[in-house]
Amino acid sequence: MRSLFKLVVLATCLFGSLPSEAIPSKDCAYRVKERISPPRGWVKHGDAPADRKISLKFALPQSKFGELEKHLYEVSDPDHERYGQHLSKEEVEELVAPHPESLDTVNDWLASLGFTEEDIVRSSAQDWITIKIPISMAEQILHAKYHVWKHVESGDYIVRTTSYSLPETLHEHIELVQPTTMFGRFKPEKSNIFKATPLPDFPAASKSEGVISAASGVTVDASCNQIITITCLQQLYNAVGFTPSAKGNSVGITGYLEQFANMQDLQSFFADQRPDALNSSFEVVSVAGGLNNQSLAEAGDEANLDVQFAFGISHPISPTFFTTAGRPPFIPDLDEPADDDENEPYTTWLDFMLSHPNPPLAISTSYGDDEQTVPFSFAQRACAGFAQLGARGVSLMFSSGDGGVGDGDPDPATQTCITNDGRNLTKFIPGFPASCPFVTSVGGTSHIPEVAVSTFFSGGGFSNFFPRPSYQDKDVKAYLAKLPKGLYAGLFNPNGRAIPDVSAQSDLFKVFIGGRAFLIGGTSASSPSFTGFVALLNDVRLKAGKSPLGFLNPFLYSKGFAGLNDITSGNNAGCGTPGFNASKGWDPGNASFSAVTGLGTPNFGILKKLVLDSH
Ligand SMILES: *[C@@H]1O[C@H](CO)[C@@H](O)[C@H](O)[C@H]1NC(C)=O
Ligand SMILES: *[C@@H]1O[C@H](CO)[C@@H](O)[C@H](O)[C@H]1NC(C)=O
Ligand SMILES: *[C@@H]1O[C@H](CO)[C@@H](O)[C@H](O)[C@H]1NC(C)=O
Ligand SMILES: *[C@@H]1O[C@H](CO)[C@@H](O)[C@H](O)[C@H]1NC(C)=O
Ligand SMILES: *[C@@H]1O[C@H](CO)[C@@H](O)[C@H](O)[C@H]1NC(C)=O
């Protein structure tokens, strides 16, 4: 393929150095497809290594996405007659398949460049095409110049371009190409503040001296104000004594960046907090060659936190951990070019999940980045992928971030709130994927009675990419109406999708990592915890012969709020402001939305009745 490619390139007009008699065909006219300003915080480090391989992914337009969205909302709306009638994998694929003309045009182009079907990997719905090629070749076919970029603060490296082009005739048939302009790092959303607190001698989760009352009327061990365990969450969220037993239920955790979930640590955790789960484990599924190193030295703090709490709460619901390949930080000085570590792991996981016949019914992801580090075209497309999983009956939870209204950085000293668009405007910085309207974003609380977390700050605010979905209209308009007039004008988009949707405890979680116990915090903790309870709710529905919950938000905003604990105090500081306030509902006993803690934290005892109200 390589040598053929060179010939073909010369025969077309990529370099504009054709014999004078050759008339450039229309296909030869390239036009810029996407151009960005070099994002803040990144500096050009050097040329990209020409021989290094990159997996270029081309997104073809999903011709009937509007129809898919309509189906999604119908099957997710508890008041609709189609509620719970999720689509099959084939039905979803039919709705996102590209138009045959797009497929033909792109196929012809790739063939003209010398690629054969063997060089091409296609997604199940044919809407993504991937080719793995050296960076030098990517530069030629995209008229792009890749560089190694360095992230100043973290020292991470990445290979990206700030602009790429496509032949004019392909613009309407290719929505986007990545990795090109995407500087998102999708880091774990975990606060570093408490990670450094190893607990001496594995103290057993102590039965406390007394009990405290949570707002919902339940009683909780007093020790839960120092250390959060599975028992604390079962008490606080009113699920004591509930044992799942339905067949066909499942729960999943995603892992990236070589974060490995350690089985031995899970046993230590179970021995400490969930003895009846001892000896049970989880399935590990490798995505695109993702590794699974079970050495204790390689145990990931994020991965261990996620599996220990999600699987600890939902035991014995069938658990899966997905380990997706891809390892930024890229190491630019490596003599031997590592193969393909430039991939963009997020859509890799989505492709895999969408081609899976049976995705887990509730999946938690604790990785994200500032919305503005992700090109709009990419955010839209990834968000459309989440909609497809929702239409198939999967509930997707994402942590809302740890930097309050600022960027995901929980440290106010290094937090930045300046736009990446070349204009350097000061603005609140929402997180992605939490800002996608087709996922459930989970913010953080702490203490009992619960308040919005303040040791780091629960990510919240308003998307600059996605408009407010109608399921949020009533609640978010009411919340906006209560904001002091003119406050934060210009700092946020009041018409944007508001985040988070819900919240859960997020600090002082006792987790076993590499053979030791740590206290760890972050919305990284709240998302898997909330997901554990969603899995329990799916159990309730499956046992009653009903469908799984699927995309949760229409249910949460129309009915579920009555089974959520309103969080009425705390705020999410950031960008040198106090951020937004948690707010008291006008309706005591019913949660009301705030851009800090969403609708609130789960009261399983009430939710398990509410989820049965709909067919
Ligand atoms: C776990 O396995 C050990 C060793 O086989 C056994 O002694 C113990 O009873 C098991 N525990 C549970 C909860 O199954
Ligand atoms: C797993 O990690 C350990 C410790 O870092 C390392 O020594 C070992 O070679 C790794 N194993 C594999 C199979 O990569
Ligand atoms: C924005 O900030 C960057 C980095 O500090 C600077 O190089 C650039 O000139 C600024 N642009 C504007 C329009 O102020
Ligand atoms: C939050 O509450 C404080 C204290 O009541 C008030 O001064 C501030 O304006 C409120 N901020 C918002 C965004 O509502
Ligand atoms: C909560 O809201 C529901 C639905 O609007 C209403 O029926 C119920 O009375 C409210 N509960 C309280 C305690 O106000």
Side-chain angles (χ1 to χ4, degrees), residues 308-611:
Q308 289 173 18
F309 275 86
F311 301 163
I313 290 165
S314 59
H315 177 76
I317 293 169
S318 168
T320 304
F321 177 74
F322 295 92
T323 170
T324 301
R327 190 192 192 177
F330 153 93
I331 303 158
D333 307 322
L334 228 55
D335 285 341
E336 190 149 317
D339 204 23
D340 194 26
D341 59 2
E342 286 320 304
N343 80 8
E344 178 290 294
Y346 229 69
T347 46
T348 302
W349 178 81
L350 250 178
D351 270 7
F352 177 88
M353 217 63 267
L354 288 166
S355 69
H356 199 289
N358 289 306
L361 299 178
I363 304 176
S364 175
T365 301
S366 290
Y367 300 75
D369 206 347
D370 307 338
E371 191 183 59
Q372 67 167 355
T373 64
V374 180
F376 178 61
S377 59
F378 176 90
Q380 254 190 332
R381 194 56 189 245
C383 189
F386 301 136
Q388 291 162 57
L389 283 173
R392 286 174 60 186
V394 177
S395 305
L396 295 171
M397 271 58 67
F398 283 83
S399 50
S400 71
D402 296 347
V405 293
D407 69 1
D409 185 348
D411 180 354
T414 46
Q415 189 174 69
T416 50
C417 301
I418 296 179
T419 61
N420 250 344
D421 56 3
R423 296 188 294 163
N424 297 351
L425 303 175
T426 299
K427 272 198 195 296
F428 292 163
I429 309 287
F432 181 82
S435 70
C436 166
F438 305 126
V439 307
T440 298
S441 71
V442 187
T445 61
S446 64
H447 296 99
I448 299 147
E450 295 185 273
V451 297
V453 64
S454 62
T455 39
F456 56 90
F457 288 98
S458 172
F462 298 80
S463 174
N464 292 311
F465 281 177
F466 300 99
R468 183 172 57 238
S470 59
Y471 61 76
Q472 283 192 321
D473 250 351
K474 187 166 142 277
D475 289 271
V476 173
K477 278 183 179 159
Y479 182 72
L480 288 168
K482 285 186 288 184
L483 290 182
K485 270 226 158 18
L487 188 73
Y488 305 152
L491 289 178
F492 74 100
N493 168 22
N495 301 314
R497 183 266 201 269
I499 45 182
D501 297 299
V502 290
S503 49
Q505 286 279 318
S506 62
D507 206 358
L508 304 173
F509 277 49
K510 186 179 181 189
V511 177
F512 287 76
I513 304 165
R516 300 186 67 181
F518 288 86
L519 291 186
I520 187 166
T523 50
S524 265
S526 51
S527 179
S529 300
F530 190 85
T531 301
F533 289 96
V534 173
L536 299 186
L537 291 171
N538 272 334
D539 180 85
V540 171
R541 278 190 58 89
L542 294 175
K543 265 197 300 237
K546 294 172 190 277
S547 63
L549 288 162
F551 173 40
L552 286 170
N553 296 2
F555 161 76
L556 292 173
Y557 285 85
S558 67
K559 293 202 154 52
F561 66 91
L564 295 168
N565 308 308
D566 206 3
I567 307 302
T568 56
S569 92
N571 57 297
N572 54 0
C575 305
T577 76
F580 294 104
N581 291 338
S583 78
K584 215 179 182 72
W586 53 92
D587 213 7
N590 273 333
S592 68
F593 177 85
S594 79
V596 195
T597 49
L599 295 168
T601 63
N603 183 330
F604 179 76
I606 299 178
L607 285 170
K608 75 178 186 208
K609 299 193 186 82
L610 295 176
V611 297

Side-chain angles (χ1 to χ4, degrees), residues 43 65 67 117 197 459 519 536 559 599:
V43 293
F65 184 78
E67 249 178 86
E117 204 50 39
T197 315
L519 291 186
L536 299 186
K559 293 202 154 52
L599 295 168

Side-chain angles (χ1 to χ4, degrees), residues 26 31 89 101 107 110 230 260 285 405 425 530 613:
K26 194 161 162 272
R31 178 158 63 84
K89 172 171 177 284
E101 194 194 331
N107 287 345
L110 290 173
I230 295 290
F260 306 125
V285 171
V405 293
L425 303 175
F530 190 85
D613 281 353

Side-chain angles (χ1 to χ4, degrees), residues 98-141:
H99 195 279
E101 194 194 331
S102 294
L103 210 48
D104 288 347
T105 311
V106 176
N107 287 345
D108 288 351
W109 179 59
L110 290 173
S112 82
L113 293 171
F115 294 103
T116 67
E117 204 50 39
E118 280 167 28
D119 304 319
I120 294 172
V121 177
R122 294 177 191 278
S123 67
S124 216
Q126 311 274 307
D127 56 335
W128 286 95
I129 288 178
T130 307
I131 50 173
K132 190 165 164 178
I133 53 176
I135 286 172
S136 55
M137 200 181 282
E139 291 184 328
Q140 290 172 7
I141 65 178

Side-chain angles (χ1 to χ4, degrees), residues 260 291-298:
F260 306 125
L291 303 176
N292 174 30
N293 187 327
Q294 284 298 316
S295 155
L296 271 180
E298 296 292 317

